[in-house]
Coordinates of all heavy atoms in Angstrom, one line a residue:
M234 N 36.4 -11.5 -11.3 CA 35.2 -11.4 -10.5 C 34.4 -10.2 -11.0 O 34.9 -9.2 -11.4 CB 35.6 -11.1 -9.1 CG 34.5 -11.0 -8.1 SD 34.9 -10.6 -6.4 CE 35.0 -12.2 -5.7
S235 N 33.1 -10.4 -11.1 CA 32.2 -9.4 -11.7 C 31.8 -8.4 -10.6 O 31.7 -8.7 -9.4 CB 31.0 -10.0 -12.3 OG 30.2 -10.7 -11.3
E236 N 31.5 -7.2 -11.1 CA 31.0 -6.1 -10.2 C 29.6 -6.3 -9.8 O 28.8 -6.8 -10.6 CB 31.1 -4.7 -11.0 CG 32.6 -4.4 -11.3 CD 33.3 -3.9 -10.1 OE1 32.7 -3.2 -9.2 OE2 34.5 -4.4 -9.9
P237 N 29.2 -5.9 -8.6 CA 27.8 -6.0 -8.2 C 26.9 -5.1 -9.1 O 27.4 -4.0 -9.6 CB 27.7 -5.4 -6.8 CG 29.1 -4.9 -6.5 CD 30.0 -5.3 -7.6
V238 N 25.8 -5.5 -9.4 CA 24.9 -4.8 -10.3 C 23.9 -4.0 -9.5 O 23.1 -4.5 -8.7 CB 24.1 -5.7 -11.3 CG1 23.2 -5.0 -12.2 CG2 25.1 -6.6 -12.1
A239 N 23.8 -2.7 -9.8 CA 22.8 -1.8 -9.1 C 21.5 -1.9 -9.8 O 21.5 -2.1 -11.0 CB 23.4 -0.4 -9.1
P240 N 20.4 -1.8 -9.1 CA 19.1 -1.8 -9.8 C 19.0 -0.6 -10.8 O 19.6 0.5 -10.5 CB 18.1 -1.6 -8.7 CG 18.8 -1.5 -7.4 CD 20.3 -1.6 -7.7
A241 N 18.3 -0.8 -11.8 CA 18.1 0.3 -12.8 C 17.4 1.4 -12.1 O 16.5 1.2 -11.3 CB 17.3 -0.2 -14.0
D242 N 17.7 2.7 -12.5 CA 17.1 3.9 -11.9 C 15.6 3.9 -12.0 O 15.0 4.2 -11.0 CB 17.7 5.1 -12.6 CG 19.0 5.6 -12.0 OD1 19.4 5.0 -11.0 OD2 19.5 6.5 -12.6
D243 N 15.1 3.4 -13.1 CA 13.6 3.5 -13.2 C 12.9 2.5 -12.3 O 11.8 2.7 -11.9 CB 13.1 3.3 -14.7 CG 13.7 2.1 -15.3 OD1 14.8 1.6 -14.8 OD2 13.2 1.6 -16.4
K244 N 13.6 1.4 -11.9 CA 13.0 0.4 -11.0 C 12.9 1.1 -9.6 O 12.0 0.9 -8.8 CB 13.9 -0.8 -10.8 CG 13.6 -1.9 -11.8 CD 12.3 -2.6 -11.3 CE 12.0 -3.8 -12.1 NZ 10.6 -4.2 -12.0
L245 N 13.9 2.0 -9.3 CA 13.9 2.6 -8.0 C 12.8 3.7 -7.9 O 12.4 4.1 -6.8 CB 15.3 3.3 -7.7 CG 16.4 2.3 -7.5 CD1 17.7 3.0 -7.4 CD2 16.2 1.4 -6.3
K246 N 12.4 4.2 -9.0 CA 11.4 5.3 -9.1 C 10.0 4.8 -9.1 O 9.0 5.6 -9.0 CB 11.6 6.2 -10.3 CG 12.9 6.9 -10.3 CD 13.2 7.7 -11.6 CE 14.5 8.3 -11.6 NZ 14.9 8.8 -12.9
E247 N 9.8 3.5 -9.1 CA 8.4 2.9 -9.2 C 7.7 3.2 -7.9 O 8.2 3.1 -6.8 CB 8.4 1.4 -9.4 CG 8.8 1.0 -10.8 CD 8.7 -0.5 -11.0 OE1 8.6 -1.2 -10.0 OE2 8.8 -0.9 -12.1
T248 N 6.5 3.7 -8.0 CA 5.6 3.9 -6.8 C 4.9 2.6 -6.5 O 4.9 1.7 -7.3 CB 4.6 5.0 -7.1 OG1 3.7 4.6 -8.1 CG2 5.3 6.3 -7.5
I249 N 4.2 2.6 -5.3 CA 3.4 1.4 -5.0 C 2.3 1.3 -6.0 O 1.9 0.1 -6.3 CB 2.9 1.6 -3.5 CG1 2.2 0.3 -3.1 CG2 1.9 2.7 -3.4 CD1 3.1 -0.9 -2.8
E250 N 1.8 2.3 -6.5 CA 0.7 2.2 -7.5 C 1.2 1.6 -8.8 O 0.5 0.8 -9.4 CB 0.1 3.6 -7.8 CG -0.7 4.2 -6.7 CD 0.1 4.8 -5.5 OE1 1.3 5.0 -5.7 OE2 -0.5 5.0 -4.4
D251 N 2.5 1.9 -9.2 CA 3.1 1.3 -10.3 C 3.2 -0.2 -10.1 O 2.9 -1.0 -11.0 CB 4.5 1.8 -10.6 CG 4.5 3.3 -11.0 OD1 3.5 3.7 -11.6 OD2 5.5 3.9 -10.8
K252 N 3.6 -0.6 -8.9 CA 3.8 -2.1 -8.7 C 2.4 -2.8 -8.5 O 2.3 -3.9 -9.0 CB 4.6 -2.2 -7.4 CG 6.0 -1.8 -7.6 CD 6.8 -1.8 -6.3 CE 8.2 -1.4 -6.6 NZ 9.1 -1.3 -5.4
L253 N 1.4 -2.1 -7.9 CA 0.1 -2.7 -7.8 C -0.5 -2.9 -9.2 O -1.3 -3.9 -9.3 CB -0.8 -1.9 -6.9 CG -0.4 -1.9 -5.4 CD1 -1.3 -0.9 -4.7 CD2 -0.6 -3.3 -4.8
Y254 N -0.2 -2.1 -10.1 CA -0.7 -2.3 -11.5 C -0.3 -3.6 -12.1 O -1.0 -4.1 -13.0 CB -0.2 -1.1 -12.3 CG -0.8 -1.0 -13.7 CD1 -2.1 -0.7 -13.9 CD2 -0.1 -1.4 -14.8 CE1 -2.7 -0.6 -15.1 CE2 -0.6 -1.4 -16.1 CZ -1.9 -1.0 -16.2 OH -2.5 -1.0 -17.5
L255 N 0.7 -4.2 -11.6 CA 1.2 -5.5 -12.1 C 0.5 -6.7 -11.5 O 0.9 -7.8 -11.8 CB 2.7 -5.6 -11.9 CG 3.6 -4.5 -12.5 CD1 5.0 -4.6 -12.1 CD2 3.4 -4.5 -14.0
V256 N -0.4 -6.5 -10.6 CA -1.1 -7.6 -9.9 C -2.5 -7.7 -10.5 O -3.2 -6.7 -10.6 CB -1.2 -7.3 -8.4 CG1 -1.9 -8.5 -7.7 CG2 0.2 -7.2 -7.8
K257 N -2.9 -8.9 -10.8 CA -4.2 -9.1 -11.4 C -5.1 -9.7 -10.3 O -4.7 -10.7 -9.7 CB -4.2 -10.0 -12.6 CG -5.5 -10.2 -13.2 CD -5.4 -11.2 -14.4 CE -6.8 -11.6 -14.9 NZ -6.8 -12.7 -15.7
Y258 N -6.3 -9.1 -10.0 CA -7.2 -9.5 -9.0 C -8.5 -10.0 -9.6 O -8.9 -9.5 -10.6 CB -7.6 -8.4 -8.1 CG -6.4 -7.7 -7.4 CD1 -5.8 -6.6 -8.0 CD2 -6.0 -8.1 -6.1 CE1 -4.8 -5.9 -7.3 CE2 -5.0 -7.4 -5.5 CZ -4.4 -6.3 -6.1 OH -3.3 -5.7 -5.5
K259 N -9.1 -10.9 -8.9 CA -10.5 -11.2 -9.1 C -11.3 -10.8 -7.8 O -11.3 -11.6 -6.9 CB -10.7 -12.7 -9.5 CG -12.2 -13.0 -9.9 CD -12.4 -14.4 -10.3 CE -13.8 -14.6 -10.7 NZ -14.0 -16.0 -11.0
P260 N -11.8 -9.6 -7.8 CA -12.4 -9.1 -6.6 C -13.6 -9.9 -6.2 O -14.4 -10.3 -7.0 CB -12.7 -7.7 -6.9 CG -12.6 -7.5 -8.3 CD -11.9 -8.6 -8.9
D261 N -13.8 -10.0 -4.9 CA -15.0 -10.7 -4.3 C -15.8 -9.6 -3.6 O -15.2 -8.8 -2.9 CB -14.5 -11.8 -3.3 CG -15.6 -12.6 -2.8 OD1 -16.8 -12.4 -3.2 OD2 -15.3 -13.6 -2.0
K262 N -17.1 -9.7 -3.7 CA -17.9 -8.7 -3.0 C -17.9 -8.9 -1.5 O -18.0 -8.0 -0.7 CB -19.4 -8.8 -3.5 CG -19.6 -8.3 -4.9 CD -21.0 -8.4 -5.4 CE -21.1 -7.9 -6.8 NZ -22.5 -8.1 -7.3
Q263 N -17.7 -10.2 -1.2 CA -17.6 -10.5 0.3 C -16.2 -10.3 0.8 O -15.2 -10.9 0.2 CB -18.0 -12.0 0.4 CG -18.0 -12.5 1.9 CD -18.4 -13.9 1.9 OE1 -19.4 -14.3 1.2 NE2 -17.8 -14.7 2.7
S264 N -16.0 -9.4 1.8 CA -14.7 -9.1 2.3 C -14.1 -10.3 3.0 O -14.8 -11.0 3.8 CB -14.7 -7.9 3.2 OG -13.4 -7.6 3.7
H265 N -12.8 -10.5 2.9 CA -12.1 -11.6 3.7 C -11.4 -11.0 4.9 O -10.6 -11.6 5.5 CB -11.1 -12.3 2.8 CG -10.0 -11.5 2.2 ND1 -10.3 -10.6 1.2 CD2 -8.7 -11.4 2.5 CE1 -9.1 -10.0 0.9 NE2 -8.2 -10.5 1.7
I266 N -11.6 -9.7 5.1 CA -11.0 -9.0 6.2 C -12.1 -8.3 7.0 O -12.9 -7.6 6.5 CB -10.0 -7.9 5.7 CG1 -9.0 -8.4 4.7 CG2 -9.4 -7.1 6.8 CD1 -8.2 -7.4 4.0
E267 N -11.9 -8.5 8.3 CA -12.9 -7.9 9.3 C -12.0 -7.1 10.3 O -11.0 -7.6 10.8 CB -13.7 -8.9 10.0 CG -14.7 -8.3 11.0 CD -15.4 -9.4 11.8 OE1 -15.2 -10.6 11.5 OE2 -16.0 -9.0 12.8
V268 N -12.4 -5.9 10.6 CA -11.8 -5.1 11.6 C -12.7 -4.9 12.8 O -13.9 -4.4 12.6 CB -11.3 -3.7 11.1 CG1 -10.8 -2.8 12.2 CG2 -10.2 -3.9 10.0
I269 N -12.3 -5.2 14.0 CA -13.1 -4.9 15.2 C -12.9 -3.5 15.5 O -11.8 -3.1 16.1 CB -12.7 -5.9 16.3 CG1 -12.9 -7.3 15.9 CG2 -13.6 -5.6 17.6 CD1 -12.4 -8.4 16.8
Q270 N -13.8 -2.6 15.2 CA -13.7 -1.2 15.2 C -13.4 -0.7 16.6 O -12.6 0.3 16.8 CB -14.9 -0.5 14.6 CG -15.1 -0.8 13.2 CD -14.0 -0.2 12.2 OE1 -13.2 0.7 12.6 NE2 -14.0 -0.7 11.0
E271 N -14.0 -1.2 17.6 CA -13.8 -0.7 19.0 C -12.4 -0.9 19.4 O -11.8 0.0 20.1 CB -14.8 -1.4 20.0 CG -16.2 -1.1 19.8 CD -16.8 -1.9 18.6 OE1 -16.3 -2.9 18.2 OE2 -17.8 -1.3 18.0
V272 N -11.8 -2.1 19.1 CA -10.4 -2.3 19.5 C -9.5 -1.5 18.7 O -8.5 -0.9 19.2 CB -10.1 -3.8 19.3 CG1 -8.7 -4.1 19.8 CG2 -11.1 -4.7 20.1
F273 N -9.8 -1.3 17.4 CA -9.0 -0.4 16.5 C -8.9 1.0 17.1 O -7.9 1.6 17.2 CB -9.5 -0.4 15.1 CG -8.9 0.6 14.2 CD1 -7.6 0.4 13.6 CD2 -9.5 1.8 13.9 CE1 -7.0 1.3 12.8 CE2 -8.9 2.8 13.1 CZ -7.7 2.5 12.6
K274 N -10.1 1.5 17.4 CA -10.2 2.9 17.9 C -9.4 3.1 19.2 O -8.7 4.1 19.4 CB -11.6 3.3 18.2 CG -12.4 3.6 16.9 CD -13.8 3.9 17.3 CE -14.7 4.2 16.1 NZ -16.1 4.5 16.4
A275 N -9.3 2.0 20.0 CA -8.6 2.1 21.3 C -7.1 1.9 21.1 O -6.3 2.3 22.0 CB -9.1 1.0 22.3
D276 N -6.7 1.4 20.0 CA -5.2 1.2 19.7 C -4.6 2.5 19.3 O -4.9 3.1 18.3 CB -5.1 0.2 18.6 CG -3.6 -0.1 18.3 OD1 -2.7 0.3 19.1 OD2 -3.4 -0.6 17.2
K277 N -3.6 3.0 20.1 CA -3.0 4.3 19.8 C -2.1 4.2 18.6 O -1.9 5.2 17.9 CB -2.2 4.7 21.1 CG -3.0 5.2 22.2 CD -2.2 5.6 23.4 CE -3.1 6.0 24.5 NZ -2.5 6.2 25.8
L278 N -1.4 3.0 18.4 CA -0.5 2.9 17.3 C -1.1 2.8 15.9 O -0.6 3.2 14.9 CB 0.5 1.8 17.5 CG 1.5 1.9 18.7 CD1 2.3 0.7 18.8 CD2 2.4 3.1 18.5
K279 N -2.2 2.0 15.9 CA -3.0 1.8 14.6 C -2.0 1.4 13.5 O -2.0 1.9 12.4 CB -3.8 3.0 14.2 CG -4.8 3.5 15.3 CD -5.7 4.6 14.8 CE -6.6 5.2 15.8 NZ -7.1 4.3 16.9
V280 N -1.3 0.3 13.8 CA -0.2 -0.1 12.9 C -0.7 -0.5 11.5 O 0.1 -0.3 10.5 CB 0.6 -1.3 13.5 CG1 1.4 -0.9 14.7 CG2 -0.3 -2.5 13.8
V281 N -1.9 -1.0 11.4 CA -2.4 -1.4 10.0 C -2.4 -0.2 9.0 O -2.3 -0.4 7.8 CB -3.7 -2.1 10.0 CG1 -3.7 -3.4 10.8 CG2 -4.8 -1.2 10.6
L282 N -2.5 1.0 9.5 CA -2.5 2.2 8.6 C -1.1 2.4 8.0 O -1.0 3.1 7.0 CB -2.9 3.4 9.4 CG -4.3 3.4 10.1 CD1 -4.5 4.7 10.8 CD2 -5.4 3.1 9.0
Y283 N -0.1 1.7 8.6 CA 1.3 2.0 8.1 C 2.0 0.8 7.5 O 2.9 0.9 6.7 CB 2.1 2.5 9.2 CG 1.5 3.7 9.9 CD1 0.8 3.5 11.2 CD2 1.4 5.0 9.3 CE1 0.2 4.6 11.8 CE2 0.8 6.0 9.9 CZ 0.1 5.8 11.1 OH -0.5 6.9 11.7
I284 N 1.5 -0.4 7.9 CA 2.3 -1.6 7.5 C 1.8 -2.3 6.2 O 2.5 -3.1 5.6 CB 2.4 -2.7 8.6 CG1 1.0 -3.0 9.2 CG2 3.3 -2.1 9.7 CD1 0.4 -4.2 8.6
C285 N 0.6 -2.0 5.8 CA 0.0 -2.7 4.6 C 0.7 -2.2 3.3 O 0.5 -1.0 3.0 CB -1.5 -2.5 4.6 SG -2.2 -3.3 3.1
P286 N 1.3 -3.0 2.6 CA 2.0 -2.6 1.3 C 1.0 -2.1 0.3 O 1.3 -1.4 -0.7 CB 2.8 -3.8 0.9 CG 2.0 -5.0 1.5 CD 1.5 -4.5 2.8
A287 N -0.3 -2.6 0.4 CA -1.3 -2.2 -0.6 C -2.2 -1.1 -0.2 O -3.2 -0.8 -0.9 CB -2.1 -3.5 -1.0
K288 N -1.9 -0.5 1.0 CA -2.7 0.6 1.5 C -4.2 0.2 1.6 O -5.1 1.0 1.2 CB -2.6 1.8 0.7 CG -1.1 2.3 0.7 CD -1.0 3.6 -0.1 CE 0.5 4.0 -0.2 NZ 0.7 5.1 -1.1
V289 N -4.5 -1.0 2.1 CA -5.8 -1.5 2.2 C -6.6 -0.8 3.3 O -7.8 -0.5 3.2 CB -5.8 -3.0 2.5 CG1 -7.2 -3.5 3.0 CG2 -5.4 -3.8 1.2
Y290 N -5.9 -0.4 4.4 CA -6.5 0.3 5.5 C -6.3 1.8 5.5 O -5.1 2.3 5.3 CB -5.9 -0.3 6.8 CG -6.0 -1.8 6.9 CD1 -4.9 -2.6 6.5 CD2 -7.2 -2.4 7.4 CE1 -5.1 -4.0 6.6 CE2 -7.3 -3.7 7.5 CZ -6.2 -4.5 7.1 OH -6.4 -5.9 7.2
T291 N -7.4 2.5 5.7 CA -7.3 4.0 5.8 C -8.2 4.4 7.0 O -9.1 3.7 7.4 CB -7.7 4.7 4.5 OG1 -9.0 4.2 4.2 CG2 -6.8 4.5 3.4
L292 N -7.9 5.6 7.5 CA -8.6 6.1 8.6 C -9.7 7.0 8.2 O -9.5 7.9 7.4 CB -7.6 6.8 9.6 CG -8.2 7.4 10.8 CD1 -8.7 6.3 11.8 CD2 -7.2 8.3 11.5
N293 N -10.9 6.8 8.7 CA -12.0 7.7 8.5 C -11.8 8.8 9.6 O -12.1 8.5 10.8 CB -13.4 7.0 8.6 CG -14.5 8.0 8.4 OD1 -14.5 9.1 8.7 ND2 -15.6 7.4 7.8
E294 N -11.4 10.0 9.2 CA -11.1 11.0 10.1 C -12.3 11.5 10.9 O -12.1 11.9 12.1 CB -10.5 12.2 9.4 CG -9.2 12.0 8.6 CD -8.0 11.9 9.5 OE1 -8.1 12.2 10.7 OE2 -6.9 11.5 9.0
E295 N -13.5 11.4 10.4 CA -14.7 11.9 11.1 C -15.1 10.9 12.1 O -15.5 11.3 13.2 CB -15.8 12.1 10.0 CG -15.5 13.3 9.1 CD -16.7 13.5 8.1 OE1 -17.7 12.9 8.3 OE2 -16.5 14.2 7.2
T296 N -15.1 9.6 11.8 CA -15.6 8.6 12.8 C -14.5 7.9 13.6 O -14.8 7.3 14.6 CB -16.4 7.5 12.0 OG1 -15.5 6.8 11.2 CG2 -17.5 8.1 11.2
G297 N -13.3 8.0 13.1 CA -12.2 7.3 13.8 C -12.2 5.8 13.4 O -11.3 5.1 14.0
E298 N -13.0 5.4 12.5 CA -13.1 4.0 12.2 C -12.0 3.7 11.1 O -11.6 4.5 10.3 CB -14.5 3.6 11.7 CG -15.5 3.6 12.8 CD -16.8 3.0 12.4 OE1 -17.1 2.8 11.2 OE2 -17.6 2.7 13.3
C299 N -11.7 2.4 11.0 CA -10.8 1.9 9.9 C -11.6 1.5 8.7 O -12.5 0.6 8.8 CB -10.0 0.7 10.5 SG -8.8 0.1 9.4
L300 N -11.3 2.1 7.6 CA -11.9 1.7 6.3 C -11.0 0.6 5.7 O -9.8 0.7 5.7 CB -12.0 2.9 5.4 CG -12.7 4.1 6.0 CD1 -12.7 5.3 5.0 CD2 -14.2 3.7 6.2
V301 N -11.7 -0.4 5.1 CA -11.0 -1.5 4.5 C -11.3 -1.7 3.1 O -12.4 -1.9 2.7 CB -11.3 -2.8 5.3 CG1 -10.6 -4.0 4.7 CG2 -11.1 -2.7 6.8
N302 N -10.3 -1.6 2.2 CA -10.4 -1.7 0.8 C -9.9 -3.1 0.4 O -8.8 -3.3 -0.1 CB -9.7 -0.6 0.1 CG -10.0 -0.6 -1.4 OD1 -10.9 -1.3 -1.9 ND2 -9.2 0.2 -2.2
H303 N -10.7 -4.1 0.8 CA -10.2 -5.5 0.7 C -9.8 -6.0 -0.7 O -9.1 -6.9 -0.9 CB -11.2 -6.5 1.3 CG -12.4 -6.7 0.5 ND1 -13.5 -5.8 0.5 CD2 -12.7 -7.7 -0.4 CE1 -14.4 -6.3 -0.4 NE2 -14.0 -7.4 -0.9
E304 N -10.4 -5.3 -1.7 CA -10.2 -5.7 -3.1 C -8.7 -5.6 -3.5 O -8.2 -6.3 -4.4 CB -11.0 -4.9 -4.1 CG -12.5 -5.0 -4.0 CD -13.1 -4.1 -3.0 OE1 -12.4 -3.4 -2.2 OE2 -14.3 -4.0 -3.0
N305 N -7.9 -4.7 -2.8 CA -6.5 -4.5 -3.2 C -5.6 -5.4 -2.4 O -4.3 -5.3 -2.5 CB -6.1 -3.1 -2.9 CG -6.8 -2.1 -3.9 OD1 -7.3 -2.6 -4.9 ND2 -6.7 -0.8 -3.6
C306 N -6.1 -6.3 -1.5 CA -5.2 -7.1 -0.7 C -4.3 -8.0 -1.5 O -4.7 -8.7 -2.4 CB -6.1 -7.9 0.3 SG -5.1 -9.0 1.3
L307 N -3.0 -8.0 -1.1 CA -2.0 -8.8 -1.8 C -1.8 -10.1 -1.1 O -1.0 -10.9 -1.6 CB -0.6 -8.0 -1.8 CG -0.6 -6.7 -2.5 CD1 0.7 -6.0 -2.2 CD2 -0.8 -7.0 -4.0
E308 N -2.6 -10.4 -0.1 CA -2.5 -11.7 0.6 C -1.2 -12.0 1.2 O -0.7 -13.1 1.2 CB -3.0 -12.8 -0.3 CG -4.4 -12.6 -0.8 CD -4.9 -13.5 -1.9 OE1 -4.3 -14.6 -1.9 OE2 -5.8 -13.2 -2.7
C309 N -0.5 -11.0 1.7 CA 0.8 -11.2 2.3 C 0.7 -11.6 3.8 O 1.7 -12.2 4.3 CB 1.7 -9.9 2.3 SG 1.1 -8.5 3.3
G310 N -0.4 -11.3 4.5 CA -0.6 -11.8 5.8 C 0.0 -10.9 6.9 O -0.1 -11.2 8.1
T311 N 0.6 -9.8 6.5 CA 1.3 -8.9 7.5 C 0.3 -8.3 8.5 O 0.7 -8.3 9.7 CB 2.0 -7.7 6.7 OG1 2.9 -8.3 5.8 CG2 2.8 -6.9 7.7
C312 N -0.8 -7.9 8.1 CA -1.8 -7.3 9.1 C -2.3 -8.3 10.1 O -2.5 -7.9 11.3 CB -2.9 -6.7 8.3 SG -3.8 -7.9 7.3
A313 N -2.4 -9.5 9.7 CA -2.9 -10.6 10.6 C -1.9 -10.8 11.7 O -2.2 -11.2 12.8 CB -3.2 -11.8 9.9
I314 N -0.6 -10.6 11.4 CA 0.5 -10.8 12.4 C 0.7 -9.6 13.2 O 0.9 -9.6 14.4 CB 1.8 -11.2 11.6 CG1 1.6 -12.6 10.9 CG2 3.0 -11.2 12.6 CD1 2.8 -12.9 10.0
A315 N 0.6 -8.4 12.6 CA 0.8 -7.1 13.3 C -0.3 -6.7 14.2 O 0.0 -6.1 15.2 CB 1.1 -6.0 12.3
A316 N -1.5 -7.0 13.9 CA -2.7 -6.6 14.7 C -3.7 -7.6 14.8 O -4.9 -7.4 14.5 CB -3.3 -5.3 14.0
P317 N -3.4 -8.8 15.4 CA -4.3 -9.9 15.5 C -5.5 -9.6 16.5 O -6.5 -10.2 16.4 CB -3.5 -11.1 16.0 CG -2.4 -10.4 16.7 CD -2.1 -9.1 16.0
E318 N -5.3 -8.6 17.3 CA -6.3 -8.2 18.3 C -7.5 -7.6 17.6 O -8.6 -7.6 18.2 CB -5.8 -7.4 19.4 CG -5.1 -6.1 19.1 CD -3.7 -6.2 18.5 OE1 -3.1 -7.3 18.5 OE2 -3.2 -5.1 18.1
Y319 N -7.3 -7.0 16.5 CA -8.5 -6.3 15.8 C -8.7 -6.6 14.3 O -9.7 -6.3 13.7 CB -8.6 -4.8 16.1 CG -7.4 -4.0 15.6 CD1 -7.3 -3.6 14.3 CD2 -6.4 -3.6 16.5 CE1 -6.3 -2.8 13.9 CE2 -5.4 -2.8 16.1 CZ -5.3 -2.5 14.8 OH -4.2 -1.7 14.4
V320 N -7.7 -7.3 13.7 CA -7.8 -7.6 12.3 C -8.1 -9.1 12.2 O -7.3 -9.9 12.7 CB -6.6 -7.3 11.5 CG1 -6.7 -7.9 10.1 CG2 -6.4 -5.8 11.4
K321 N -9.2 -9.5 11.7 CA -9.5 -10.9 11.4 C -9.4 -11.1 9.9 O -10.2 -10.7 9.1 CB -11.0 -11.2 11.9 CG -11.2 -10.9 13.3 CD -10.2 -11.6 14.2 CE -10.3 -11.2 15.7 NZ -9.1 -11.5 16.5
W322 N -8.3 -11.7 9.5 CA -7.9 -11.9 8.1 C -7.9 -13.3 7.8 O -7.4 -14.2 8.6 CB -6.5 -11.3 7.9 CG -6.1 -11.3 6.5 CD1 -6.3 -10.3 5.5 CD2 -5.4 -12.3 5.8 NE1 -5.8 -10.7 4.3 CE2 -5.2 -12.0 4.4 CE3 -4.9 -13.6 6.2 CZ2 -4.6 -12.8 3.5 CZ3 -4.3 -14.4 5.2 CH2 -4.1 -14.0 3.9
R323 N -8.4 -13.7 6.6 CA -8.3 -15.0 6.1 C -8.1 -14.9 4.6 O -8.3 -13.8 4.0 CB -9.5 -15.9 6.4 CG -10.8 -15.3 5.9 CD -12.0 -16.1 6.4 NE -13.2 -15.6 5.8 CZ -13.9 -14.5 6.3 NH1 -13.4 -13.8 7.3 NH2 -15.0 -14.1 5.7
Y324 N -7.8 -15.9 3.9 CA -7.6 -15.9 2.5 C -9.0 -15.7 1.9 O -10.0 -16.1 2.4 CB -7.0 -17.2 1.9 CG -5.5 -17.3 2.1 CD1 -5.0 -18.0 3.1 CD2 -4.7 -16.5 1.3 CE1 -3.6 -18.1 3.3 CE2 -3.3 -16.6 1.5 CZ -2.8 -17.4 2.4 OH -1.4 -17.4 2.6
P325 N -9.0 -15.0 0.7 CA -10.3 -14.9 0.0 C -10.9 -16.2 -0.3 O -10.2 -17.2 -0.4 CB -10.0 -14.1 -1.3 CG -8.6 -13.5 -1.0 CD -7.9 -14.4 0.0
R326 N -12.2 -16.2 -0.6 CA -12.8 -17.5 -1.0 C -12.2 -18.0 -2.3 O -11.6 -17.3 -3.1 CB -14.3 -17.2 -1.3 CG -15.1 -16.8 -0.1 CD -16.6 -16.7 -0.4 NE -16.9 -15.7 -1.4 CZ -18.0 -15.7 -2.1 NH1 -19.0 -16.6 -1.8 NH2 -18.2 -14.8 -3.0
G327 N -12.3 -19.3 -2.5 CA -11.7 -20.0 -3.6 C -12.1 -19.3 -4.9 O -13.2 -19.0 -5.2
G328 N -11.1 -19.1 -5.8 CA -11.3 -18.4 -7.1 C -11.3 -16.9 -7.0 O -11.3 -16.3 -8.1
F329 N -11.2 -16.3 -5.8 CA -11.1 -14.9 -5.8 C -9.8 -14.4 -5.2 O -9.0 -15.2 -4.8 CB -12.2 -14.3 -4.8 CG -13.6 -14.5 -5.4 CD1 -14.4 -15.6 -4.9 CD2 -14.1 -13.7 -6.3 CE1 -15.7 -15.8 -5.5 CE2 -15.4 -13.8 -6.8 CZ -16.2 -14.9 -6.4
G330 N -9.5 -13.1 -5.3 CA -8.3 -12.6 -4.7 C -7.2 -12.4 -5.8 O -7.6 -12.3 -7.0
V331 N -6.0 -12.5 -5.4 CA -4.9 -12.4 -6.3 C -4.8 -13.5 -7.3 O -4.9 -14.7 -6.9 CB -3.5 -12.3 -5.6 CG1 -2.4 -12.3 -6.5 CG2 -3.5 -11.0 -4.7
Q332 N -4.8 -13.2 -8.6 CA -4.8 -14.2 -9.6 C -3.4 -14.3 -10.2 O -3.0 -15.4 -10.6 CB -5.8 -13.9 -10.7 CG -7.2 -13.6 -10.3 CD -7.8 -14.9 -9.8 OE1 -8.0 -15.9 -10.6 NE2 -8.3 -15.0 -8.6
Y333 N -2.7 -13.2 -10.3 CA -1.4 -13.2 -11.0 C -0.6 -12.0 -10.5 O -1.1 -10.9 -10.3 CB -1.6 -13.1 -12.5 CG -0.4 -13.1 -13.3 CD1 0.3 -14.2 -13.5 CD2 0.0 -11.9 -13.9 CE1 1.4 -14.2 -14.3 CE2 1.1 -11.9 -14.7 CZ 1.8 -13.1 -14.9 OH 2.9 -13.1 -15.7
K334 N 0.7 -12.3 -10.2 CA 1.6 -11.2 -9.8 C 2.8 -11.2 -10.9 O 3.4 -12.2 -11.1 CB 2.2 -11.5 -8.5 CG 1.3 -11.3 -7.3 CD 2.0 -11.6 -6.0 CE 1.0 -11.7 -4.9 NZ 1.6 -12.1 -3.6
L335 N 3.0 -10.0 -11.4 CA 4.1 -9.9 -12.3 C 5.2 -9.0 -11.7 O 4.9 -7.9 -11.4 CB 3.7 -9.3 -13.6 CG 4.7 -9.0 -14.7 CD1 5.4 -10.3 -15.2 CD2 4.2 -8.2 -15.8
G336 N 6.3 -9.5 -11.4 CA 7.4 -8.7 -10.8 C 7.5 -8.9 -9.3 O 6.7 -9.6 -8.7
Ligands
SF4_592 S1 -2.6 -9.3 3.9 FE1 -1.0 -7.8 3.4 S2 -1.9 -6.7 1.6 FE2 -3.6 -7.8 2.6 S3 -4.5 -6.3 3.9 FE3 -3.0 -7.5 5.2 S4 -1.1 -6.3 5.1 FE4 -2.4 -5.5 3.4

């Protein structure tokens, strides 16, 4: 019987930025993500700031609004499930968005 194989050390040291570098995008000027700011501001948990693997959502500390960097979206759909009351997410228009994922 063979021994279980542990992941290589350098694989464990990869940051999210390292992994995002392996994704090829064709960005669309038109965002496929809309945040209803009033509902976001009223939400105490603001889960989208923590659950997005691509860090698409950030908080504007001055206004309290949610900033959306839609060009980095990995199209995983997590935000649409976690915060449907204020995130209106759909796939990017045809031909845009994630083109290729390596790894
Ligand atoms: S679909 Fe996934 S990657 Fe895209 S914004 Fe939502 S959580 Fe982030």
